[in-house]
Amino acid sequence: MFSRRNRRPTSPELAAAWECLDGGDVPGALRELRQASSAPLGQVAAVVGRVAGAAGFDDLRKAATALAARPDRVRPLHDYGYACVERGVPYLAIPALREALRLAPGSAGTLRELVSAYEDEGRHRDAVDALLTHEDGLADWPDRYLLVFNAVLAGDLELARRQHARLPAPADDTWLGAWERQNRVLERAATAGPVSPLDHSDLRGWQYVMGGTVLGAMSPYGFDAGMAGRYAWLQDSYDQCLQGLLRLKAVLAAAEVRPRSVSLLPDRGSVILGLAASEVLGLPAEPFESGREDTVVIAYDLDETARADQGPEAIAQLFHRTPGQVLHEHAGCWTDPPAVTADSVSLLHQSAVAPWGAGLRQGADGGVERGDADERPEAEIAAGIVGADPIPDEGDGQAPADSVEGLADFVSAVRGTWLQGDRARLRSSGPVVSSRFV
């Protein structure tokens, strides 16, 4: 309930959010609101309205104000949920949309909005359950398509295949690209299944099924402590860069792909890694050009590429595949994936500092300080990568074996479905869950 004196919520989480707002801390208020999923919707909406006002989101402010006044009506519940999804806070939308759907179970629009909110939160099993609950009223497009999509991302291939078999080709051309992508996903699952368990710890298998990406190496730290093969924070090294390139070389050999050049993307990190790749792969290096065939395009981090001069244009040109072109990324961010999905990625991280970046080091007083970036010429740094240690870190001894031979066996089995279709952004981490750190 609210205090009559100041209309502040008395729920602990909502009260904490209100205090954050008093101090001008909008992100802090949103973090507190994430913990208030069981609080009364009217009270939550009142706080969200104040958050939206502080952020300048007038649409969400109006929707929250309407819901705070009438939390028992379908239209305010739906409109508020829609506004929350549009403004990037889907976790706030979910309780309201669930209630709207309970009050109006036949509303296809509310069901789709709820599924969208679940997808944005990575709650694919909940999206599947919501769709199955209303299966009798599902339209093939988009509803049954969304059921297949979320079943895959929840790790339920049996359900995905069964529902996909019931899905006709779309009559509306708008859905043709999605349908073709879904066909390729299930084809990749069919080739990966015999050589990879595709269970909830099979990171390499699911990266391939979901996006067609061959994952070169898994983190040897914290596998059973929440990371499942991904890195959280990584201070990268020349050694890991070299090991990633050697694994790329093994991938190309196992897939029987024979590039004739290395293509350098425009950002500094990609130029450095690309020059090193040229030496490791024994191929000439050339600046990236759209349409060049039979080449390995080297990116250190595609998000960094997108921020470079001429980077956005290069990213756009990589979406549609050129024959014989392989896109390799060394350090792929799994919590905020790049706009295009690489064909090969050395490792997955939440946050990484390149070896030539301003990383952390031990200071003269024994404390930790941030060092200076390495400003040497790209070719000189690339030579350091080529001369680095090729033997991987053994890690904490808890991670499963991850040999180059095992990687090559996987690629040999799936090569018939590799390097096909567009490189659409992979928006979900899929069935393999890893701990996230803010």
Side-chain angles (χ1 to χ4, degrees), residues 77-429:
L77 288 162
H78 176 94
D79 291 350
Y80 168 83
Y82 177 85
C84 286
V85 171
E86 290 297 298
R87 288 300 184 178
V89 283
Y91 62 91
L92 294 174
I94 288 169
L97 292 169
R98 277 196 310 223
E99 178 63 11
L101 196 58
R102 187 188 70 81
L103 295 174
S107 173
T110 299
L111 174 62
R112 291 165 191 164
E113 206 61 44
L114 176 59
V115 168
S116 176
Y118 279 138
E119 288 176 355
D120 289 349
E121 284 291 292
R123 294 171 58 176
H124 301 290
R125 186 74 247 180
D126 288 327
V128 166
D129 291 342
L131 288 161
L132 287 176
T133 297
H134 300 85
E135 186 175 5
D136 290 345
L138 296 185
D140 286 326
W141 295 92
D143 304 327
R144 198 169 305 280
Y145 160 78
L146 292 173
L147 179 52
V148 177
F149 175 81
N150 282 284
V152 170
L153 295 176
D156 192 343
L157 284 172
E158 181 181 352
L159 175 63
R161 289 175 176 131
R162 189 167 64 247
Q163 292 290 339
H164 185 72
R166 300 178 58 186
L167 188 62
D172 185 346
D173 289 352
T174 302
W175 292 101
L176 280 176
W179 185 54
E180 291 167 355
R181 255 182 242 113
Q182 192 164 93
N183 287 335
R184 290 193 296 271
V185 165
L186 293 175
E187 288 167 1
R188 289 195 294 265
T191 60
V195 293
S196 205
L198 295 180
D199 57 18
H200 288 270
S201 63
D202 183 12
L203 183 60
R204 176 170 290 135
W206 281 113
Q207 287 299 125
Y208 185 71
V209 169
M210 292 188 300
T213 300
V214 172
L215 173 60
M218 291 179 286
S219 168
Y221 291 97
F223 189 92
D224 292 327
M227 294 315 301
R230 299 181 178 98
Y231 289 89
W233 183 83
L234 172 69
Q235 186 154 308
D236 203 3
S237 67
Y238 293 162
D239 295 349
Q240 282 185 298
C241 288
L242 175 61
Q243 291 155 20
L245 293 175
L246 291 172
R247 289 200 167 216
L248 169 63
K249 186 174 184 178
V251 166
L252 296 173
E256 299 182 0
V257 173
R258 297 177 178 85
R260 294 180 294 179
S261 67
V262 166
S263 292
L264 309 177
L265 288 168
D267 59 293
R268 176 174 166 80
S270 295
V271 171
I272 291 170
L273 190 67
L275 292 174
S278 172
E279 293 294 322
V280 171
L281 300 178
L283 298 171
E286 305 172 283
F288 171 76
E289 288 184 5
S290 176
R292 179 182 293 133
E293 299 185 2
D294 300 324
T295 188
V296 183
V297 181
I298 297 291
Y300 177 79
D301 178 335
L302 284 166
D303 284 331
E304 288 296 323
T305 302
R307 290 189 282 268
D309 290 343
Q310 302 179 350
E313 293 86 351
I315 293 294
Q317 291 162 356
L318 287 166
F319 180 83
H320 293 292
R321 187 177 304 283
T322 298
Q325 183 191 83
V326 178
L327 174 59
H328 173 76
E329 180 183 29
H330 175 72
C333 181
W334 63 273
T335 52
D336 186 17
V340 293
T341 297
D343 304 310
S344 165
V345 65
S346 295
L347 56 87
L348 297 172
H349 67 86
Q350 179 169 348
S351 176
V353 178
W356 45 86
L360 299 178
R361 66 184 184 187
Q362 186 173 6
D365 60 357
V368 176
E369 63 182 21
R370 187 167 295 279
D372 297 327
D374 188 343
E375 301 295 344
R376 291 180 298 160
E378 287 96 341
E380 189 173 340
I381 299 175
I385 294 174
V386 175
D389 187 350
I391 300 174
D393 187 345
E394 293 183 357
D396 57 19
Q398 303 301 310
D402 184 28
S403 67
V404 175
E405 293 77 15
L407 170 63
D409 288 344
F410 176 85
V411 174
S412 294
V414 303
R415 66 189 179 201
T417 55
W418 194 41
L419 305 180
Q420 296 182 14
D422 60 40
R423 297 185 175 111
R425 183 182 187 190
L426 186 60
R427 298 181 180 274
S428 171
S429 56

Side-chain angles (χ1 to χ4, degrees), residues 13-37:
E13 299 85 3
L14 297 183
W18 200 277
E19 293 298 327
C20 288
L21 290 170
D22 283 345
D25 183 6
V26 173
L30 289 171
R31 287 194 295 271
E32 295 294 340
L33 284 168
R34 185 177 278 279
Q35 309 304 316
S37 59

Side-chain angles (χ1 to χ4, degrees), residues 41-50 52 58-81 83 96:
L41 283 168
Q43 292 190 23
V44 174
V47 181
V48 171
R50 190 178 172 206
D58 199 48
D59 56 336
L60 179 55
R61 181 191 61 78
K62 290 178 180 178
T65 300
L67 179 59
R70 298 305 303 264
D72 56 344
R73 296 291 182 90
V74 171
R75 175 51 61 186
L77 288 162
H78 176 94
D79 291 350
Y80 168 83

